[in-house]
Amino acid sequence: MIHRVLTLFALFVLLWVGVQAEVPHQKGYCAIRGQCGKKSVFGSELPCPDPSPASAPSTDLRASLVRICGDEWAEGNVCCDADQLEALEGNLKRVKPILSSCPACLKNFEEFFCQLTCSGDQSAFLNVTGTQAAVTTGKDIVTQMSYYVTDAHANAFFDSCKSVKFSATNGYVMDFIGGGAKTARAFLAFLGEEKPLLGSPIQIDFPTDEESVGSGMTPVEGGMRSCGDEDVRYRCACVDCPTACPTLEDVPRPGSGCHVGVLPCFSLAMILLYALGLLGFLSGWGVVAHKKRKGRPTRRARMLTDDAASVTSTRSGEDGDEDGLLVEEEVMRRYPLQDKLYALFYDLGLHCATYPATTIGAALLVLGVMCLGWLRFGVETDPVRLWVSPSSPAAREKTFFDESFGPFFRAEQVFLSNVSGEGSPVLSYETLEWWFGVEERVRDVVVEIDIDGDSVQVGWGDVCYNPTGTGCVVQSLTGYFQDDIEMVDPDYWLDDLEACASQPVSCLPPYGQPLKPEVLLGRIPENEGGEVDTSRIGEAEAVIVTWVVRNSLDAEKIRKAEAWEAGLQRVLRQVEGEAEERGLRISWNTEISLGQELNKSTNTDAGIVVVSYVIMFFYVSLALGGSWRFSRRIVVESKFGLGIVGIMIVLLSVAASIGLFSAMGVKVTLIIAEVIPFLVLAIGVDNIFLLVHEFERINASLSSLSVEERAARTLGRVGPSILLSATAEVVAFGLGGLVGMPAVRNFAIYAAGAVVIDAVLQCTAFVSALVLDQRRVDAGRVDCFPILRVGGRSGKRREGMLDRAIRKWYAPNLLRKPVKVVVVAVFVGLFFAALGLFPKLELGLDQRIALPRDSYMVDYFNDMYAYMQQGPPVYFVTKDLNATTLEGQRALCGRFSTCDEFSLANVLEQERKREEVSFVAEPAASWVDDFLHWLNPSNDMCCRVQSSGKQCGPDDSEDECKVCFADREPSWNITMTGFPEGQEFLEYLGRWIESPTVESCPLAGQAAYSDALVVDYENVMTPATHFRTSHTPLRSQRDFIDAYAAARRVAKEITDKTGTEVFPYSVFYIYFDQYATIVNLAIKLVGSALIAILAVTSVILGSFPTALVVMCVVGMIVVDVVGVMALWGVSLNAVSLVNLVICVGIGVEFCSHVARGFMVPNQGLGKHLKTGSERNERVWNSLVSVGGSVFSGITLTKFIGVAVLAFTRSKIFEVYYFRMWLALVILAAAHGLIFLPVLLSLFGGKGYALEGEEVVEEAWRNDARHRYNQALLADGDDSD
């Protein structure tokens, strides 16, 4: 169509009368008039030189002139005749469909060529510079002329048109009428360039002001209308005229938060806060210590002067308990709940120990019943159902879009580039010729599938998107040549390609929609304005080809599409080899590729996960045996079999949880399958170690009791600790089950269930197994092979190296005052450092990380980020806005002078102009504007009807058809007063949607808008419509997240301004919706879990201060892990959010046992205490009692298992599991075994003893005296 539009502006030169050899160049004279023949047989009629005076037109000619050129031509002499006016009118009619949206531009365009054709002062500004004899008539014809206009006149003309949009192509009319010109002179040069077939049939030059000096010519100036004209008849809409646009509120650029240099203000605040806090802490500590030293004698002096009563006195109410006596009142303090829990677990342990077979059998029976739920086992792999809550806005909007307009297309895409890499052009004739053949093979792909027992063949035509019925949508360079290699000239292919790229409407593909060069080629050089330089198309570094496949909600249609895509994959794998032979490289993706590769990644990880589990199993089984003197009884004393039982309990608890919740319809996710066994193993193994080690201690100290009694005492002491950790974890995970994100919710549900089942089994079945194992040992039977016996006495269990190190070195040194100061300073420093790193934490999950390292799709995503010069499409969807009313039309439109100031189209246009914050790159395709302009009677080839009322087609003759709205009163006008409403609106809307988009009427709606509206004819409504635009190129996860957030902001702004609901939709939004709330969700999840831990720990331990310490330490663990994430390149997303929830559970496991050991000291260890304060003694007692179990049970077990993950081939396992879990294990162990004991020694609550445990008071008093005597050896040391 462009070439016709431009031909007419060359024809305006042909419409005029003859010419004269000597032109006087003064007003009142003509330069050309009439038509004297053709330059070639196939050329157009050219004007004659004619220097005669201008003459008065006839009445009919004057009426035609006024009708065509306006009221300004109602008087004066002219230099044109009826034939010229007829030709001028015909050519201007071709332009009106393009320019009618901006009356000022259209008026200026008409005036510019009316002046050239008919001005009575033609000779003053028009100079004939070339003539020749016509080949058809032999008369002189004009072949070249100069049209003198001032620079101001040219700029006014250009400025009125440069911003006018052409909605059907999301482009500019300047691409049609000016070849994409960026300056006024380039615009005029394009109009005047001789192009016999595509443009002007003669050469028209436009001299500049400087060139006009001394020429004797009088350049045309003035009279041009501004696009923001005060006259509403000529004022253009906002989308076409920046000066007519509303002003939007300023929006900060993404990532433009407060910084001091390169350092975020928040990070600087954390640094300063820590520095001030540390200074205050050290100063306060020093002052207090100095006052205490001055206020009382040394410990040696006090001990030498105090009487015996002082030994039994208590100063437990004083902070720090400097006299350090675990006196009778403190030791004998009771907490009724703990007494009841001790009694409850004691009775449970005694029952399970007495009836081990019954207990184990009952447990297996219950587990078996729960595992029946595996019959309903299902794995959820759909990313939408995994990461998006069904109630989230994005999910609801996707459903609405799919049901209203159909699901977004399925895209099959290929990038073709040079193997030599960046900077290497890819295009050549040989490459084009080969690629035409490749696309032919793709079109020939046919596959067979079985549908209801019948074999059905599926080809490209069966699955492609074909909106017009004239051709399938393939976005490829081949479309410029109608998919026919014969149309490609081996010598001039690049010139043709550049011409098509500069004027895509001149090279329409079979389906009739223009192809933008930035969609077809990658890394095209840009001009100074940052736009694609079409003259350098040959330097493009990649060819981009996209096959568009229909999507559907129909399962059978999806099966057909997926089958064809599988056939396409086979062809593309062959093409990979062919490309390599040519020195080229292709990367590609089909709609089914991502799911296939993600499943491949999961299968790749399975082996390494199994190896990790096996290594952990063996470690646990071996480590449970403890340290024994070597003898032949070692095979009896071994606990390998008991370890296997413990591991089996962990696995059975996971299996039972899956069975239970599968029966309830909760689907398993890959995260559950990969993570929960690790989580439950970490939690469960620690409990196993605690039970076994406590049982061994009781065996050593109370060997005279029966095995059943010893087991009961073991569970009575350890059971409440297991209950504490399990309850806190279940409550924390249970809160996670309340969130909307299915992956997190399902994980939390399964994890909570597995923890409960595991805790119950450990307190029942494992206790029974523990008793059976002890009976085996007492009977001298070999571990794992009980049919074999070994004689001899049981060896005495010796203290392990780890336990000895904790008792003799680690615990006493940790509790020294200088060490405490350093520990507090370091761990609080880590906490503030982690907080300071929060601004560095990125959001998102790069698709490349989720894929196997060797996946072909890694190259595809790399090329997508590198080469794409246009972002994904985005739709702004209206809901329940009635566009059949004038009010609704004004709320939507943007190309009429009375559209609402903040209408949808106007707001989108303004947002497009600040793409750095809106990420909107193109003018929106506005159906309402194009439809209403389609009704414009000036576009007389658009809306036409036959006398019968039937819509005319583009090939129907003018005699048979009548132009719509031609005789309407009030008439169609730019102020919208003559527009249809109600049923009439819908009647014409239906005609418009069915009208094919053709060269003579590019505003027709079939190709561009056939799926853009939902029409309710019964209720006279438009329940849903969409306005299409596109994002700027998105090259990172941050870009995608910011683009989604910006679209949300824009939609809300439109909703607020128009009063109707508008939402944005793009195919990727559903995956990035989580990031709109994930930070708040993480804070709520972790925060609520910490509050739950505080509540549960306070109740079970009976001490708010101790519970508060535990909560703070767990919170610090999570914060530190987030800091490591920021440093180690681990983004926050649903996967890492699940891991943060795990951090809470693991943190509780590390802290709860130590905290309970602190609150309920093991009185059997009293004879080893050497510390000075009462809190220190209980901390020491706790570390000696459970520290070894925590370290060897959970720390080493998890560390060994996580270390194996370093060898995974999957990037997602390496980043989100290995890195996060390694950081978690190290940080949780450090906080639980170093920082927590120090805090408990400073701020922990008062301890208590359990009812039912024998307390030998005299032994405790003697032990107190022993500690004093040890203090005498300290030479007056007053430290803790």
Side-chain angles (χ1 to χ4, degrees):
M1 175 192 122
I2 266 235
H3 57 279
R4 287 203 186 170
V5 171
L6 296 178
T7 303
L8 76 100
F9 313 129
L11 288 180
F12 52 105
V13 176
L14 322 176
L15 331 172
W16 321 310
V17 223
V19 108
Q20 179 184 8
E22 295 286 336
V23 181
H25 298 311
Q26 60 183 354
K27 293 184 178 182
Y29 282 83
C30 300
I32 57 175
R33 193 191 317 246
Q35 297 174 344
C36 289
K38 299 181 179 181
K39 187 176 181 179
S40 63
V41 176
F42 301 103
S44 303
E45 290 286 336
L46 301 183
C48 321
D50 182 0
S52 63
S55 59
S58 65
T59 302
D60 290 342
L61 185 63
R62 175 73 70 185
S64 297
L65 184 59
V66 171
R67 176 172 50 82
I68 296 169
C69 295
D71 294 338
E72 298 87 348
W73 295 83
E75 58 183 28
N77 295 334
V78 298
C79 292
C80 58
D81 57 21
D83 291 337
Q84 287 179 283
L85 279 181
E86 182 180 353
L88 176 63
E89 182 179 23
N91 288 319
L92 289 178
K93 281 182 178 180
R94 295 179 180 273
V95 186
K96 284 185 178 180
I98 303 172
L99 302 182
S100 59
S101 64
C102 183
C105 175
L106 177 60
K107 178 62 178 176
N108 292 339
F109 200 94
E110 292 173 342
E111 184 66 19
F112 189 81
F113 291 109
C114 284
Q115 285 279 352
L116 178 60
T117 306
C118 293
S119 173
D121 299 324
Q122 202 179 63
S123 180
F125 59 82
L126 195 64
N127 183 31
V128 175
T129 57
T131 61
Q132 72 174 54
V135 297
T136 54
T137 64
K139 297 180 180 180
D140 283 345
I141 55 174
V142 177
T143 58
Q144 187 171 358
M145 66 177 70
S146 294
Y147 184 3
Y148 287 81
V149 298
T150 64
D151 289 346
H153 190 79
N155 287 331
F157 183 18
F158 175 72
D159 289 344
S160 68
C161 295
K162 67 180 180 181
S163 299
V164 180
K165 311 301 183 303
F166 185 54
S167 188
T169 63
N170 274 15
Y172 295 87
V173 299
M174 191 56 66
D175 297 333
F176 289 77
I177 65 173
K182 304 302 179 186
T183 65
R185 287 298 169 180
F187 173 38
L188 296 183
F190 181 84
L191 288 177
E193 183 180 359
E194 182 178 2
K195 303 188 197 73
L197 296 180
L198 297 176
S200 174
I202 64 175
Q203 178 64 39
I204 307 176
D205 300 315
F206 296 89
T208 63
D209 285 355
E210 185 178 347
E211 295 168 339
S212 300
V213 176
S215 64
M217 306 298 291
T218 304
V220 177
E221 65 176 338
M224 288 290 172
R225 295 283 182 177
S226 166
C227 66
D229 204 289
E230 294 182 1
D231 190 336
V232 294
R233 295 176 301 165
Y234 301 112
R235 184 186 305 149
C236 301
C238 166
V239 293
D240 298 324
C241 180
T243 59
C245 289
T247 301
L248 302 181
E249 296 179 1
D250 290 336
V251 176
R253 188 174 295 201
S256 60
C258 175
H259 284 74
V260 179
V262 297
L263 194 65
C265 294
F266 180 80
S267 302
L268 179 62
M270 292 302 101
I271 294 173
L272 295 177
L273 189 60
Y274 172 68
L276 293 175
L278 181 62
L279 180 62
F281 173 72
L282 294 177
S283 300
W285 192 304
V287 170
V288 171
H290 179 70
K291 286 183 178 180
K292 286 183 177 180
R293 287 192 183 95
K294 287 185 63 177
R296 67 173 186 270
T298 65
R299 177 172 295 174
R300 176 187 291 269
R302 283 185 282 119
M303 292 174 62
L304 292 176
T305 58
D306 284 352
D307 56 22
S310 67
V311 177
T312 58
S313 68
T314 177
R315 297 177 57 192
S316 58
E318 300 178 16
D319 185 39
D321 198 11
E322 287 296 327
D323 284 326
L325 296 185
L326 253 177
V327 295
E328 180 177 351
E329 290 85 351
E330 288 298 327
V331 173
M332 299 305 294
R333 176 174 173 265
R334 301 289 187 219
Y335 180 48
L337 178 60
Q338 279 293 331
D339 291 337
K340 292 179 180 179
L341 288 176
Y342 177 86
L344 175 65
F345 280 102
Y346 177 90
D347 293 340
L348 178 63
L350 187 61
H351 179 82
C352 295
T354 306
Y355 307 103
T358 303
T359 301
I360 295 174
L364 291 175
L365 179 61
V366 173
L367 289 172
V369 172
M370 296 174 74
C371 287
L372 290 176
W374 278 77
L375 297 174
R376 297 190 60 188
F377 176 81
V379 178
E380 184 61 80
T381 57
D382 184 351
V384 174
R385 294 193 180 97
L386 277 175
W387 309 121
V388 182
S389 168
S391 61
S392 71
R396 294 197 306 268
E397 290 160 1
K398 180 181 185 301
T399 300
F400 182 86
F401 188 92
D402 290 350
E403 293 176 350
S404 300
F405 311 110
F408 192 76
F409 316 113
R410 303 172 70 90
E412 334 296 337
Q413 194 168 60
V414 170
F415 289 91
L416 175 66
S417 57
N418 201 307
V419 293
S420 54
E422 186 174 343
S424 303
V426 68
L427 290 174
S428 68
Y429 176 76
E430 292 73 19
T431 298
L432 277 178
E433 185 178 31
W434 169 68
W435 191 255
F436 269 88
V438 170
E439 291 196 15
E440 182 67 29
R441 287 155 58 187
V442 171
R443 288 193 291 271
D444 291 340
V445 170
V446 177
V447 296
E448 288 191 3
I449 62 172
D450 181 80
I451 298 179
D452 297 330
D454 297 327
S455 180
V456 178
Q457 288 191 331
V458 178
W460 169 235
D462 299 313
V463 299
C464 74
Y465 177 61
N466 187 349
T468 62
T470 59
C472 295
V473 176
V474 180
Q475 295 178 334
S476 171
L477 285 178
T478 62
Y480 283 153
F481 304 97
Q482 294 293 303
D483 299 331
D484 186 359
I485 187 61
E486 298 298 327
M487 296 183 64
V488 183
D489 190 316
D491 298 320
Y492 299 101
W493 66 270
L494 185 55
D495 294 336
D496 295 339
L497 192 59
E498 290 175 354
C500 289
S502 63
Q503 300 176 30
V505 292
S506 300
C507 308
L508 295 176
Y511 59 91
Q513 284 291 288
L515 291 168
K516 295 186 177 182
E518 55 266 39
V519 176
L520 310 179
L521 295 165
R523 280 197 185 150
I524 307 171
E526 297 179 344
N527 55 29
E528 294 180 356
E531 297 181 346
V532 168
D533 188 347
T534 56
S535 66
R536 301 176 65 186
I537 286 293
E539 300 177 39
E541 297 179 26
V543 173
I544 307 170
V545 181
T546 306
W547 291 269
V548 182
V549 175
R550 284 195 319 271
N551 209 344
S552 176
L553 298 176
D554 186 292
E556 183 176 305
K557 292 180 179 179
I558 292 177
R559 279 190 59 207
K560 290 181 178 180
E562 290 176 344
W564 186 86
E565 287 163 355
L568 175 63
Q569 287 182 335
R570 290 190 289 270
V571 172
L572 294 179
R573 289 191 181 97
Q574 296 172 1
V575 173
E576 283 181 329
E578 298 172 14
E580 189 174 351
E581 294 173 0
R582 296 172 175 271
L584 303 172
R585 178 182 64 84
I586 74 164
S587 60
W588 54 275
N589 166 60
T590 66
E591 196 72 21
I592 60 175
S593 294
L594 185 59
Q596 292 174 338
E597 292 299 291
L598 289 177
N599 289 335
K600 176 181 173 184
S601 174
T602 301
N603 295 334
T604 300
D605 298 329
I608 200 71
V609 171
V610 170
V611 171
S612 178
Y613 285 148
V614 169
I615 292 177
M616 285 190 290
F617 294 167
F618 272 94
Y619 165 75
V620 170
S621 298
L622 292 172
L624 279 179
S627 299
W628 298 87
R629 297 186 185 277
F630 182 80
S631 70
R632 62 178 182 171
R633 290 274 301 183
I634 193 172
V635 295
V636 175
E637 310 291 353
S638 167
K639 301 295 182 186
F640 190 87
L642 188 61
I644 294 295
V645 172
I647 298 300
M648 291 304 299
I649 285 176
V650 171
L651 296 181
L652 286 173
S653 65
V654 174
S657 179
I658 293 175
L660 175 63
F661 292 109
S662 292
M664 297 169 63
V666 181
K667 284 192 174 184
V668 174
T669 67
L670 295 178
I671 286 184
I672 291 173
E674 295 164 347
V675 172
I676 287 187
F678 271 97
L679 173 66
V680 180
L681 189 65
I683 295 172
V685 165
D686 191 27
N687 295 337
I688 291 171
F689 273 80
L690 286 171
L691 287 167
V692 172
H693 290 173
E694 182 64 24
F695 186 67
E696 292 299 333
R697 275 194 287 267
I698 291 178
N699 277 344
S701 59
L702 300 172
S703 57
S704 60
L705 298 178
S706 66
V707 174
E708 293 77 9
E709 176 68 18
R710 282 176 268 160
R713 287 173 175 260
T714 298
L715 188 60
R717 181 151 192 91
V718 177
S721 186
I722 294 175
L723 176 65
L724 169 62
S725 61
T727 304
E729 290 154 5
V730 168
V731 172
F733 292 144
L735 292 171
L738 301 178
V739 305
M741 191 182 296
V744 177
R745 183 187 64 242
N746 291 8
F747 160 78
I749 291 172
Y750 276 100
V755 169
V756 169
I757 296 170
D758 183 61
V760 171
L761 290 176
Q762 287 172 339
C763 292
T764 54
F766 187 75
V767 172
S768 297
L770 191 64
V771 170
L772 293 176
D773 185 74
Q774 185 60 41
R775 291 176 181 175
R776 173 193 60 78
V777 173
D778 293 343
R781 297 184 180 275
V782 175
D783 189 21
C784 298
F785 300 97
I787 60 173
L788 302 178
R789 286 179 179 269
V790 175
R793 295 186 306 168
S794 297
K796 181 180 180 182
R797 185 182 186 277
R798 62 178 181 176
E799 188 179 24
M801 293 179 58
L802 177 61
D803 293 336
R804 187 182 308 112
I806 292 175
R807 178 178 59 82
K808 299 187 65 175
W809 179 81
Y810 176 72
N813 283 285
L814 178 65
L815 297 173
R816 296 180 60 217
K817 184 177 292 184
V819 176
K820 290 182 184 180
V821 173
V822 172
V823 167
V824 171
V826 169
F827 279 86
V828 173
L830 285 175
F831 174 72
F832 277 97
L835 286 176
L837 288 169
F838 274 24
K840 186 182 170 77
L841 182 65
E842 294 289 339
L843 304 181
L845 176 59
D846 195 321
Q847 300 98 319
R848 292 168 290 188
I849 291 180
L851 297 167
R853 296 176 190 268
D854 57 351
S855 171
Y856 65 87
M857 289 196 66
V858 173
D859 289 336
Y860 167 77
F861 283 118
N862 288 337
D863 288 346
M864 184 183 74
Y865 288 139
Y867 294 128
M868 288 295 285
Q869 292 180 277
Q870 185 176 33
V874 55
Y875 302 84
F876 286 88
V877 182
T878 67
K879 294 179 66 175
D880 299 326
L881 185 145
N882 193 358
T884 67
T885 66
L886 187 58
E887 180 184 8
Q889 295 163 24
R890 285 175 170 161
L892 296 177
C893 71
R895 293 187 182 150
F896 301 94
S897 57
T898 58
C899 293
D900 290 348
E901 182 181 16
F902 290 97
S903 68
L904 185 148
N906 283 346
V907 171
L908 288 182
E909 174 58 19
Q910 288 301 84
E911 292 290 354
R912 181 194 64 81
K913 295 173 183 176
R914 54 179 189 182
E915 63 179 33
E916 69 281 358
V917 297
S918 69
F919 293 85
V920 175
E922 291 188 337
S926 174
W927 69 267
V928 68
D929 286 302
D930 282 356
F931 164 56
L932 294 175
H933 275 288
W934 178 78
L935 295 174
N936 187 347
S938 297
N939 303 326
D940 58 2
M941 292 303 292
C942 289
C943 184
R944 302 186 302 159
V945 295
Q946 298 176 354
S947 57
S948 63
K950 180 182 178 182
Q951 179 73 21
C952 289
D955 298 327
D956 293 333
S957 68
E958 295 185 15
D959 296 335
E960 300 175 357
C961 300
K962 178 183 177 182
V963 177
C964 305
F965 283 57
D967 303 320
R968 182 184 177 90
E969 288 296 334
S971 63
W972 189 102
N973 64 79
I974 200 70
T975 62
M976 305 181 72
T977 54
F979 286 2
E981 296 187 69
Q983 196 64 50
E984 184 186 24
F985 179 93
L986 294 184
E987 177 187 345
Y988 282 108
L989 184 67
R991 296 174 184 266
W992 174 67
I993 292 176
E994 294 174 358
S995 297
T997 306
V998 292
E999 185 177 356
S1000 60
C1001 184
L1003 293 172
Q1006 185 184 63
Y1009 300 111
S1010 58
D1011 61 353
L1013 301 98
V1014 176
V1015 181
D1016 184 349
Y1017 289 95
E1018 181 178 348
N1019 296 310
V1020 192
M1021 269 286 292
T1022 51
T1025 70
H1026 70 59
F1027 292 71
R1028 184 185 71 254
T1029 179
S1030 68
H1031 282 301
T1032 55
L1034 307 178
R1035 307 190 187 281
S1036 67
Q1037 293 288 290
R1038 171 51 58 188
D1039 285 350
F1040 279 97
I1041 294 169
D1042 289 342
Y1044 175 61
R1048 281 271 174 220
R1049 176 188 59 77
V1050 172
K1052 183 179 184 302
E1053 183 178 19
I1054 296 171
T1055 298
D1056 293 341
K1057 297 293 186 182
T1058 63
T1060 188
E1061 183 179 355
V1062 176
F1063 68 84
Y1065 176 79
S1066 188
V1067 67
F1068 72 87
Y1069 285 176
I1070 193 73
Y1071 304 106
F1072 288 85
D1073 178 67
Q1074 58 179 289
Y1075 302 110
T1077 58
I1078 196 167
V1079 174
N1080 289 335
L1081 178 60
I1083 293 172
K1084 290 178 181 177
L1085 272 178
V1086 175
S1088 57
L1090 292 177
I1091 293 173
I1093 290 170
L1094 176 64
V1096 171
T1097 308
S1098 296
V1099 171
I1100 295 181
L1101 290 186
S1103 171
F1104 181 79
T1106 301
L1108 187 62
V1109 168
V1110 171
M1111 183 197 74
C1112 290
V1113 172
V1114 174
M1116 292 176 71
I1117 292 172
V1118 176
V1119 169
D1120 287 354
V1121 169
V1122 174
V1124 173
M1125 288 170 59
L1127 276 180
W1128 213 348
V1130 182
S1131 302
L1132 179 61
N1133 50 53
V1135 178
S1136 51
L1137 179 58
V1138 169
N1139 282 336
L1140 288 180
V1141 176
I1142 289 176
C1143 289
V1144 176
I1146 300 296
V1148 169
E1149 194 66 26
F1150 270 101
C1151 297
S1152 61
H1153 301 304
V1154 174
R1156 186 175 183 277
F1158 168 77
M1159 291 302 300
V1160 188
N1162 191 330
Q1163 297 174 5
L1165 296 175
K1167 58 183 180 297
H1168 298 294
L1169 296 175
K1170 298 180 180 179
T1171 55
S1173 79
E1174 182 268 339
R1175 287 197 188 102
N1176 284 351
E1177 289 173 347
R1178 286 190 282 125
V1179 169
W1180 180 92
N1181 190 301
S1182 177
L1183 287 174
V1184 173
S1185 298
V1186 302
S1189 298
V1190 172
F1191 183 78
S1192 59
I1194 182 172
T1195 307
L1196 292 183
T1197 303
K1198 286 298 296 175
F1199 184 82
I1200 291 171
V1202 170
V1204 177
L1205 295 181
F1207 301 98
T1208 180
R1209 291 173 56 202
S1210 170
K1211 190 69 175 175
I1212 192 170
F1213 252 73
E1214 188 249 314
V1215 173
Y1216 289 99
Y1217 295 127
F1218 171 70
R1219 294 183 187 181
M1220 284 196 72
W1221 287 355
L1222 182 63
L1224 169 60
V1225 170
I1226 294 173
L1227 290 171
H1231 281 77
L1233 295 175
I1234 300 175
F1235 189 51
L1236 176 64
V1238 169
L1239 285 188
L1240 289 175
S1241 72
L1242 297 173
F1243 308 110
K1246 297 179 180 180
Y1248 51 82
L1250 296 176
E1251 183 178 358
E1253 286 196 331
E1254 295 84 351
V1255 179
V1256 185
E1257 298 179 13
E1258 185 62 30
W1260 279 93
R1261 292 193 180 95
N1262 292 336
D1263 185 63
R1265 296 189 184 96
H1266 171 75
R1267 293 196 302 278
Y1268 271 106
N1269 293 331
Q1270 293 295 322
L1272 289 174
L1273 302 178
D1275 196 24
D1277 184 10
D1278 196 42
S1279 70
D1280 281 354

